[in-house]
Amino acid sequence: MAVGFTCQLLLVTFTVWSGSAEALVPAHMDCLSPATTRLRSCSFFITFFAGAFAAYRRPQLFGARLAACTAAVLIMGVLCQLAFRAAPFASLALLASVLMGMGTAVFFLLWENLFARERLAFVGLCLGFAMCVSGALYALLFVIPGRDATLLALAVLTTALLLHSYREPVDESWHPRPAVEPRRLFADIWPTLLCAAAIYFVSAATRAATLGELVDNELFDAVSMMSMVLSGLLLMLFWGLLHSRIDLEKVYQAVFPIVATGFLVLPFLGEAFHVGFVALTFLVASIIASLIMLTSIQVSRRSGLAPTFIYGVLSGSCYCASFVGSLAGDGVRLMDDFGFAQMLIVSFVCLYILSMALLALKKRGAKAAGADASPGAVDTIPRSGRASTADGSGPHSTEASLEGTDEGDSLDMFDRACNSLAQDCGLSRRESEIMHLLARGRDLPTISKTLFISRSTVQTHSKSLYRKLDIHSKQELIDLVETTAHDLQVDTDTR
């Protein structure tokens, strides 16, 4: 699986993310290069959105049959690209751009579908390894003769490895019934999405505005290669040591001061700093790309929604932001007398976008608390999928199997006790959800990840429900729920 995804990253780097594919365009047709690049990027993120819609409607669609069909589309796109060199018709180049953009995007969704069945610890290391090795191998594309044959061989190898991973029928019955509506889910995680999209936007805008004509030459390719290798090494190092405590939001908050400082001094420094800063933003974007895959798996296991649906929405939004950022950067770069003033505008616009994303992240807890202020709503956490842990096992993963047994009845009585307390004491919906998890012994970090809210928000709601229940500790809460459940059981038995 790691080798297959390494080939996938190498292929998409060669065909979509960098300017290397433009080397396949004949010199006398250079005027087509911008159009094919834009069209390829546009079809790339649109396919992610289309794949997300398909995954929401039919998650079972992502299997061996779709992999085979997509492989045919991708190889056809590569063949059109190679045919364009022999017979330079504009229609061939445009068709190749669309097919390669679509094929590589669907391949990403198919790999995400496979990764979703593995442990997160393994997936994180696998992604880091793939980024590191693909970045190193990317350099070989410039010294290996016959780039046409290399591209075709890479497409065939990637396709073969993906089809091999789907060689056995995949049991799609693992998909639980969604426990969270998509609208409610994204209402909780949109600040995280905004942070990732902001990184993609500023990375693309900075690259286009500062490097300009360097974007399509070997300097940019070298910067991309080194950034990808370094981001892979960092991901393997920190994920191997701290994977249970690393998430996209923490990474964004950690890199924000560094990136913001870079934008503040960007207009005042020369080209050498510009190249280094572009490498830094590309490195951060590469790490964010891997964390998006990991976050999609985590959210899927907690919400019951298909991982391909969540990944399609997140990645589609980020690559759309990258596309818009690239257009904006090119627009600024093409202005007459591009200089200090224009660079100052780029820096402050990017800094503003990053700051707004950070502000949205900080304000999410307060907004969630305000939205849940109305008492009486006691909607509880469904007992399948909603509260699973990062490794797929959660507080409710065993409860569904207990239904119909005495132990299952005990769990039902536990829920009834929590609901009764929530109604009697006027708890809000969020307070009721947190009470259910606290009463089952969950700690603050677990509750934060389960409900997609910050730890400070969990603490605020916990203090509020403690006050309403007239208790002072988690143990008192557990005792109160158990006592209430016992009383309800006695009332039920005497009827």
Side-chain angles (χ1 to χ4, degrees), residues 176-416:
R177 182 178 179 180
V180 181
E181 289 295 327
R183 184 177 301 179
R184 179 181 171 187
L185 172 68
F186 287 106
D188 283 333
I189 69 171
W190 73 266
T192 303
L193 172 60
L194 185 60
C195 290
I199 289 292
Y200 273 69
F201 177 89
V202 301
S203 177
T206 306
R207 181 182 66 217
T210 58
L211 298 189
E213 67 278 359
L214 300 178
V215 169
D216 292 333
N217 74 4
E218 293 183 1
L219 175 61
F220 172 69
D221 291 326
V223 168
S224 302
M225 176 196 68
M226 290 186 295
S227 299
M228 186 172 293
V229 171
L230 184 56
S231 61
L233 291 173
L234 291 174
L235 183 62
M236 285 193 295
L237 174 62
F238 288 102
W239 189 261
L241 297 174
L242 306 168
H243 75 272
S244 62
R245 288 179 283 174
I246 294 179
D247 57 36
L248 195 152
E249 296 177 6
K250 291 179 182 177
V251 171
Y252 183 86
Q253 294 180 63
V255 302
F256 175 83
I258 302 173
V259 177
T261 302
F263 276 117
L264 288 176
V265 301
L266 185 65
F268 303 96
L269 301 178
E271 185 176 293
F273 179 81
H274 293 173
V275 173
F277 188 66
V278 168
L280 173 64
T281 57
F282 191 86
L283 182 150
V284 175
S286 298
I287 295 176
I288 293 295
S290 296
L291 291 177
I292 287 174
M293 298 191 76
L294 296 167
T295 300
S296 299
I297 296 173
Q298 290 174 314
V299 174
S300 170
R301 292 174 179 177
R302 297 180 192 124
S303 66
L305 294 167
T308 43
F309 165 69
I310 300 169
Y311 180 62
V313 173
L314 295 180
S315 292
S317 302
C318 290
Y319 288 118
C320 180
S322 177
F323 179 76
V324 174
S326 181
L327 290 179
D330 284 340
V332 174
R333 183 74 187 183
L334 295 176
M335 294 173 62
D336 295 334
D337 301 325
F338 179 84
F340 175 81
Q342 288 77 11
M343 187 63 69
L344 194 64
I345 292 174
V346 171
S347 297
F348 277 98
V349 168
C350 291
L351 186 57
Y352 175 80
I353 291 174
L354 290 173
S355 301
M356 290 300 100
L358 182 64
L359 180 63
L361 199 62
K362 295 293 186 180
K363 291 291 185 180
R364 179 176 55 179
K367 291 181 180 179
D372 297 326
S374 58
V378 292
D379 180 30
T380 61
I381 303 169
R383 288 184 292 162
S384 61
R386 174 66 184 269
S388 60
T389 65
D391 289 326
S393 61
H396 304 291
S397 59
T398 59
E399 291 179 33
S401 64
L402 295 175
E403 291 183 5
T405 66
D406 293 339
E407 191 172 355
D409 294 339
S410 175
L411 290 170
D412 289 338
M413 191 59 66
F414 183 92
D415 288 337
R416 287 178 56 191

Side-chain angles (χ1 to χ4, degrees), residues 21-37 40 80-95 97 216:
E22 306 312 324
L24 299 173
V25 178
H28 64 282
M29 298 289 288
D30 280 347
C31 59
L32 276 178
S33 292
T36 55
T37 300
R40 192 162 48 244
C80 288
Q81 181 73 44
L82 299 182
F84 175 64
R85 286 179 58 80
F89 295 105
S91 57
L92 281 175
L94 298 177
L95 179 61
S97 297
D216 292 333

Side-chain angles (χ1 to χ4, degrees), residues 14 28 59 66 70 103 119 137 178 199 235 252 359 420 457 489:
F14 188 80
H28 64 282
L66 179 62
T70 306
R119 294 181 63 86
L137 292 177
I199 289 292
L235 183 62
Y252 183 86
L359 180 63
S420 176
T457 303
Q489 184 66 52

Side-chain angles (χ1 to χ4, degrees), residues 3-23:
V3 175
F5 192 70
T6 299
C7 293
Q8 164 72 12
L9 286 183
L10 189 58
L11 178 64
V12 77
T13 302
F14 188 80
T15 57
V16 178
W17 288 343
S18 74
S20 298
E22 306 312 324

